[in-house]
Amino acid sequence: MATGTNTTYLSNVVNHYFKCNFKTLVNRCRVEYAKLLLRKEKRTADELIKLCGFTSRSVFYSAFTKEVGVVPSRYPGNMLPFLSEYD
């Protein structure tokens, strides 16, 4: 299904308004959702990773650490029993 725009235009809009590329914007949204879930719900790390749309634990930890500055297990308000494999 066509969206009525092209990838170059979309890329330029994202760069202009969000000062980042599309992949970074998507990961920021996923990390924000992960932070919300960390504060509100008890889920396993694997459930959280899947719910937020990350493909693997290492990708999730990398994106989360880049955006927040700490690994998920050290995030304030963390309700999850994270494994310390990436800490």
Side-chain angles (χ1 to χ4, degrees):
M1 179 175 175
T3 61
T5 191
N6 63 45
T7 56
T8 302
Y9 176 77
L10 180 59
S11 177
N12 288 335
V13 169
V14 169
N15 286 326
H16 177 77
Y17 287 103
F18 298 99
K19 310 297 185 223
C20 64
N21 63 37
F22 185 74
K23 180 180 172 184
T24 299
L25 179 61
V26 170
N27 279 342
R28 281 182 188 165
C29 293
R30 289 175 175 161
V31 168
E32 285 302 314
Y33 186 53
K35 288 167 44 181
L36 176 71
L37 293 177
L38 280 169
R39 291 188 300 266
K40 293 189 171 200
E41 301 177 13
K42 272 200 169 191
R43 297 200 181 259
T44 67
D46 290 333
E47 287 174 330
L48 181 67
I49 291 162
K50 186 175 181 177
L51 284 170
C52 294
F54 287 97
T55 55
S56 70
R57 183 179 292 252
S58 62
V59 172
F60 170 67
Y61 269 75
S62 177
F64 193 95
T65 304
K66 180 180 178 183
E67 290 299 317
V68 181
V70 295
V71 293
S73 62
R74 302 224 189 274
Y75 181 71
N78 180 6
M79 300 277 297
L80 299 177
F82 272 93
L83 299 175
S84 61
E85 178 181 344
Y86 293 96
D87 288 354

